[in-house]
Amino acid sequence: MQISYLECTRCGERLSPDHPQSVCPKDGGVLFVRYDLASLKGKLRVDDLRGRVASMWRYAEVLPDAAPVTLGEGFTPMLPSREFASVYIKDEGLNPTGSFKARGMSAAVTMARHYGLKKLAAPSAGNAGGALAAYAAAAEIEAHIFMPKDVPLANRMECDYYGAHLTLVDGLISDCGRMVAERKDKEGWFDVSTLKEPFRVEGKKTMGYEVAEQLGWKLPDAIIYPTGGGVGMIGMWKAFEEMEELGWIGSGVPGSAGQGSKRPKMISVQAAGCAPIVRACEAGKSASEMWADASTFAAGLRVPKAYGDYLILDIIKKSGGTAVSATDEEILLATRHWANVEGVFAAPEGAASLVAYQKLRASRFLRAEDVVVLFNTGSAYKYLDVLEAQEKRARTATPATRQIGGIIGPY
Ligand SMILES: [Zn+2]
């Protein structure tokens, strides 16, 4: 659909979508893409989606009006859990390049090509870089990617094979981001860092549309989302708002029309070794602090401070959600457990959702009858070297470090 304008999420400033934009020039706020949804209301109905392409581009009317750069991303399976009757696993591991990052990069590269951009750059904890490399290859655009040097092997290799320019950095994603920022003007790169361009959110919001569509246009009671940069959660919340405007779901106001009128509790799960959102949430703060010495084998969760932290924390609060952390040991056990019990070989970040679910059931934050969607954000096939190393570490760990807190279930 034709974009009406880009809107700053901090000050409400409106910017033109006619040329590439980054963040709000006044306050650095994240920009959201706004459409004239009111004109679509009543004209576009959920039944119109039947028989459409099984990718995120089935929601074309709520995505930018440009020729998509697509590799078949989105419309991933919503698997009923075999272990918990009211739980679903949304398996993003089946996306091109094996993670949910494909959605954001499909949208971002689509718009980059639309704007005629020739060189894109991004820092990445791993999977975003791989996704950017793939979509840039498909669009014949140059990709310059900066990753920590200890990312999973798959991430390095895919960037190489897709023909991206890869720089491995002795540091974290925050250091990579600084390097992109320092060099982009001189090199003529457009920065597609998380939330520093408006379209990755647009791609990722389609997860919210899919959750609703795949559950029969009823929203679940809660969604557990592994949070690094947090765009998945931010995107889904935007989708719920848009679907309310379209009249596809209820407005959330008691007594209003529509089904499933309550938005889900949005629950963020992070690694115990890098949990800035959990810490800020527990302290009731509206922004997070940079996490010192971030460390976890779940590479995608190693984000010491998310650019959109204020949005994530606001969503958690407004939705009545919470934030939970999972230790590497818990994540490793959950990865094996999910593979074993569900047949889902999840990325460690995704398996952290299971740890969060177990902890929140134990604390009675969630009840057995609550419909909960756990997001597996990627495929374990991209983490084979990392998983093997982590298994070895776990086997040689002393019994004292093998204490597992808060985990229920047969391990
Ligand atoms: Zn602003």
Side-chain angles (χ1 to χ4, degrees), residues 8-13 23-31:
C8 175
T9 51
R10 281 191 198 275
C11 71
E13 175 81 358
V23 293
C24 174
K26 286 188 181 163
D27 55 18
V30 172
L31 300 179

Side-chain angles (χ1 to χ4, degrees), residues 96-116:
T97 72
S99 87
F100 78 113
K101 300 284 185 181
R103 297 175 187 264
M105 287 305 182
S106 175
V109 174
T110 289
M111 289 310 288
R113 185 171 72 178
H114 175 78
Y115 288 131

Side-chain angles (χ1 to χ4, degrees), residues 52-321:
R52 287 196 181 181
V53 61
S55 84
M56 71 177 205
W57 295 97
R58 68 195 278 106
Y59 307 108
E61 286 89 343
V62 292
L63 290 168
D65 185 18
V69 178
T70 176
L71 297 168
E73 53 292 323
F75 221 63
T76 54
M78 178 73 84
L79 305 169
S81 165
R82 289 163 199 280
E83 187 176 18
F84 304 104
S86 56
V87 167
Y88 294 86
I89 301 167
K90 178 75 170 150
D91 193 0
E92 290 291 297
L94 276 83
N95 275 302
T97 72
S99 87
F100 78 113
K101 300 284 185 181
R103 297 175 187 264
M105 287 305 182
S106 175
V109 174
T110 289
M111 289 310 288
R113 185 171 72 178
H114 175 78
Y115 288 131
L117 298 170
K118 299 289 181 218
K119 296 177 182 183
L120 305 180
S124 169
N127 281 323
L132 172 59
Y135 287 91
E140 297 180 52
I141 289 175
E142 259 182 44
H144 298 265
I145 295 157
F146 290 73
M147 287 178 180
K149 67 176 172 27
D150 53 354
V151 292
L153 174 64
N155 295 132
R156 282 185 276 131
M157 286 197 68
E158 64 188 341
C159 286
D160 178 29
Y161 270 69
Y162 291 129
H165 301 266
L166 176 63
T167 306
L168 294 172
V169 177
D170 188 9
L172 293 172
I173 186 172
S174 40
D175 302 301
C176 298
R178 209 158 32 241
M179 293 174 84
V180 170
E182 279 164 13
R183 289 179 57 186
K184 63 178 180 182
D185 289 340
K186 192 173 73 158
E187 305 280 356
W189 298 338
F190 184 75
D191 185 355
V192 289
S193 296
T194 302
L195 298 173
K196 290 186 184 164
E197 67 78 56
F199 296 101
R200 286 174 68 179
V201 172
E202 290 304 288
K204 289 186 188 167
K205 80 178 182 188
T206 57
M207 292 189 289
Y209 282 88
E210 286 175 31
V211 165
E213 183 171 2
Q214 291 174 325
L215 295 179
W217 303 103
K218 287 197 179 94
L219 295 180
D221 296 305
I223 290 177
I224 302 183
Y225 205 88
T227 307
V231 182
M233 186 179 277
I234 294 168
M236 281 193 279
W237 196 251
K238 182 172 188 281
F240 299 146
E241 184 186 306
E242 290 178 358
M243 284 187 278
E244 286 168 4
E245 280 184 57
L246 289 167
W248 287 6
I249 57 171
S251 66
V253 179
S256 67
Q259 332 165 37
S261 62
K262 208 159 163 268
R263 290 199 205 175
K265 293 187 169 93
M266 301 300 277
I267 297 163
S268 168
V269 59
Q270 297 198 300
C274 182
I277 296 294
V278 178
R279 185 180 277 171
C281 189
E282 283 170 354
K285 296 205 169 125
S286 57
S288 65
E289 305 269 332
M290 176 77 76
W291 189 275
D293 304 321
S295 158
T296 169
F297 83 109
L301 300 181
R302 215 169 38 165
V303 179
K305 180 167 165 64
Y307 194 75
D309 58 354
Y310 66 102
L311 295 170
I312 302 164
L313 288 160
D314 186 49
I315 291 165
I316 292 171
K317 193 173 164 193
K318 273 189 192 147
S319 71

Side-chain angles (χ1 to χ4, degrees), residues 29-71:
V30 172
L31 300 179
F32 272 3
V33 180
R34 298 297 186 194
Y35 311 89
D36 181 12
L37 294 175
S39 73
L40 266 185
K41 191 175 178 179
K43 288 193 197 118
L44 180 68
R45 295 166 200 276
V46 295
D47 289 345
D48 298 331
L49 299 171
R50 282 202 192 130
R52 287 196 181 181
V53 61
S55 84
M56 71 177 205
W57 295 97
R58 68 195 278 106
Y59 307 108
E61 286 89 343
V62 292
L63 290 168
D65 185 18
V69 178
T70 176
L71 297 168

